[in-house]
Amino acid sequence: MAEQKIPTALGTENIGKLLMQYAVPAIIAMTASSLYNMVDSIFIGQGVGALAISGLALTFPLMNLAAAFGTLVGVGAATLVSVKLGQKDYDTAQRVLGNVFVLNILLGVAFTIVVMPFLDPILYFFGASDQTIGYARDYMEIILLGNAISHLYLGLNAVLRSSGHPKEAMYATIATVVINTVLDPIFIYGFGWGIRGAAIATILAQVIALVWQLKLFSNKDELLHFHKGIFRLKRKIVFASLAIGMSPFLMNLAACFIVILINQGLKKYGGDLAIGAYGIVNRLVFIVLMIVMGLNQGMQPIAGYNFGARQFDRVTRVLKLTIISATIVTSFGFLVGMLMPHLAVSIFTSDAELIELSAKGLRITVLFFPLIGFQIVTSNFFQSIGMAGKAIFLSLTRQLVVLLPCLLILPRFFGLAGVWYSLPVSDILSVLIAAVMLAHQFRKFKVQAAAGRPNSGQTAI
């Protein structure tokens, strides 16, 4: 085993330097990922039409649901790898790699088999109309056929990042964006495939990136690599991965349900174009959130490793630095959304009515954005150190305990505006809850560090 491949610097290097080293590639990758989604929306909106944007927006809940099953395995396994490397349990880390490979394929295929026969009824339930169902169906059929590829690509990228290769994970993500951007106009315009062309470009880009990932993990000189004996599912590894990944799974599951309610409310009070407006706002907000998620991904291996090594002071420092960085990012998103909303939304469409609806929605959505970075980092922090229960609680609190009642109540009194205002109201309340939980956890860290006790809540295999 090559000693230099073991990322022991996570426990000794300067925290600021480490976060920069791990977060910058992740931020680039996540920004590229958000652009990856935007590219489809831009080409579809400008080349196919305003109603096609609405059709694409209708697929968001189903995409969230598919992503939920992907993160259930990928994020949980990545966190487990970081913790096990911190504990120097390299054999278990190897087996986690093999298990995440098998589980992603199984869940990806199973999801497609279950959803495909009921696609039309699902899309109608999500808020589709006779004018938008065709666009949504054409796009989603292709995405579902490549679902196992998407799961495997995202899962292996998460493990790649957490095992000390953030740059390689970044390269894989950037490659998918570049390939997708090149193929979109060829397939949509050149071949005349319309919205189906955008979906085909998406899956083909992931196939190419996946081939490269498989090559990387086949290198026997790496600490984590494919070899016989690691692909057999091990109950403890599967359960531990799923337990840690349960937080983002439930978050995405809740997001799926919430987006359904949002789409239904928008259709009832604003029609098909209101759904398209939300699709545009969602893509723009997604850019800011993905940068924050990139910071979280940079924090994850550092926090996980040092938590496993019982270095609580380093865990605290990386969390504080990540929160400050995330707040700067979300504050920038707030300024853009408030000062230039029309300019931002116009890159997706030239339809005047859709631009006006989207600009109003964007201003409302970013109302409390300077604070939301704190909540996102806090939730992911608990996940990064294996405290799945707390991460799940924070995720579900924002989506179901706060946002759900707002979506059910506010539109009854304020119509279309009530649907939009539900988002910032839930943001501010969830920030307050996260602050209370994090303060309590900091007090526990201080007690544990002073007493020299083992980590509470640490995942055991």
Side-chain angles (χ1 to χ4, degrees):
M1 182 181 295
E3 188 68 26
Q4 67 270 21
K5 297 295 184 181
I6 301 171
T8 53
L10 288 170
T12 58
E13 186 64 79
N14 175 269
I15 289 294
K17 182 179 178 180
L18 275 176
L19 186 59
M20 182 74 68
Q21 176 187 342
Y22 277 80
V24 169
I27 289 170
I28 294 173
M30 296 306 288
T31 303
S33 177
S34 63
L35 292 175
Y36 181 86
N37 290 310
M38 280 186 65
V39 165
D40 280 354
S41 298
I42 292 170
F43 279 115
I44 290 169
Q46 298 288 0
V48 185
L51 284 177
I53 282 282
S54 298
L56 182 64
L58 291 168
T59 69
F60 291 171
L62 205 49
M63 299 282 276
N64 281 336
L65 188 57
F69 285 98
T71 54
L72 178 63
V73 177
V75 174
T79 300
L80 196 57
V81 164
S82 295
V83 173
K84 291 306 167 184
L85 289 176
Q87 296 170 344
K88 295 180 170 50
D89 185 357
Y90 306 125
D91 180 65
T92 299
Q94 287 270 28
R95 294 179 181 277
V96 172
L97 171 62
N99 277 224
V100 75
F101 183 90
V102 175
L103 282 173
N104 270 312
I105 293 176
L106 292 177
L107 286 177
V109 172
F111 185 86
T112 298
I113 292 174
V114 171
V115 172
M116 189 69 86
F118 308 102
L119 186 56
D120 272 22
I122 290 173
L123 291 172
Y124 274 118
F125 178 69
F126 288 173
S129 68
D130 291 339
Q131 286 71 42
T132 57
I133 184 69
Y135 295 115
R137 183 199 309 117
D138 286 349
Y139 187 82
M140 205 62 220
E141 281 177 346
I142 302 299
I143 296 298
L144 284 174
L145 289 174
N147 191 53
I149 296 294
S150 299
H151 279 205
L152 196 53
Y153 154 70
L154 293 171
L156 290 182
N157 226 34
V159 174
L160 195 63
R161 186 180 303 107
S162 65
S163 61
H165 297 287
K167 289 184 179 179
E168 285 78 1
M170 175 189 72
Y171 296 151
T173 305
I174 291 176
T176 60
V177 178
V178 173
I179 295 168
N180 188 46
T181 303
V182 172
L183 294 180
D184 259 346
I186 296 174
F187 291 170
I188 295 174
Y189 308 127
F191 293 172
W193 291 347
I195 199 169
R196 278 183 174 269
I200 294 171
T202 295
I203 298 301
L204 188 55
Q206 292 177 350
V207 169
I208 296 172
L210 176 60
V211 171
W212 185 67
Q213 290 173 330
L214 295 176
K215 181 180 179 181
L216 290 176
F217 279 115
S218 298
N219 184 359
K220 295 182 180 180
D221 292 332
E222 293 291 338
L223 174 62
L224 296 185
H225 63 272
F226 294 133
H227 60 83
K228 290 183 180 180
I230 67 170
F231 297 102
R232 183 172 177 269
L233 294 180
K234 187 178 179 183
R235 177 192 288 183
K236 290 184 178 179
I237 291 177
V238 171
F239 284 172
S241 297
L242 297 182
I244 297 171
M246 190 59 67
S247 170
F249 169 77
L250 292 176
M251 183 172 65
N252 278 301
L253 192 64
C256 171
F257 180 62
I258 290 300
V259 173
I260 292 171
L261 285 181
I262 291 174
N263 282 345
Q264 289 177 341
L266 292 172
K267 182 182 178 182
K268 179 178 180 180
Y269 296 104
D272 288 332
L273 281 187
I275 295 177
Y278 176 70
I280 290 174
V281 171
N282 202 7
R283 290 306 193 204
L284 289 170
V285 167
F286 199 61
I287 297 177
V288 178
L289 298 184
M290 286 300 98
I291 295 174
V292 176
M293 292 306 295
L295 286 167
N296 283 331
Q297 290 184 1
M299 173 187 70
Q300 183 265 318
I302 304 169
Y305 185 100
N306 286 284
F307 186 75
R310 296 174 56 194
Q311 300 188 82
F312 297 114
D313 58 328
R314 291 177 62 81
V315 174
T316 300
R317 287 204 299 274
V318 73
L319 172 63
K320 289 181 178 179
L321 189 55
T322 307
I323 288 174
I324 292 171
S325 302
T327 301
I328 293 172
V329 172
T330 54
S331 296
F332 176 76
F334 166 81
L335 292 175
V336 172
M338 284 296 180
L339 300 178
M340 52 185 75
H342 291 81
L343 178 62
V345 303
S346 63
I347 64 174
F348 293 90
T349 180
S350 56
D351 186 284
E353 184 180 357
L354 183 54
I355 288 175
E356 190 60 34
L357 286 170
S358 303
K360 288 181 180 178
L362 181 59
R363 273 205 173 107
I364 296 172
T365 300
V366 302
L367 200 56
F368 293 120
F369 248 47
L371 301 177
I372 197 61
F374 167 81
Q375 194 274 341
I376 297 172
V377 172
T378 300
S379 178
N380 279 267
F381 169 71
F382 286 120
Q383 172 190 309
S384 296
I385 60 176
M387 294 185 176
K390 293 181 179 180
I392 291 171
F393 175 79
L394 278 177
S395 299
L396 293 185
T397 296
R398 181 179 185 275
Q399 297 283 357
L400 300 181
V401 178
V402 181
L403 183 52
L404 176 59
C406 289
L407 287 170
L408 293 176
I409 297 171
L410 294 183
R412 294 178 180 271
F413 297 96
F414 305 105
L416 183 60
V419 179
W420 288 109
Y421 275 109
S422 296
L423 302 173
V425 170
S426 68
D427 285 343
I428 190 63
L429 293 177
S430 63
V431 166
L432 295 175
I433 295 170
V436 172
M437 290 186 62
L438 188 59
H440 176 70
Q441 188 60 46
F442 268 141
R443 288 194 293 269
K444 291 183 69 174
F445 278 161
K446 290 180 180 179
V447 172
Q448 289 172 350
R453 292 202 302 268
N455 304 338
S456 63
Q458 181 171 305
T459 304
I461 294 291

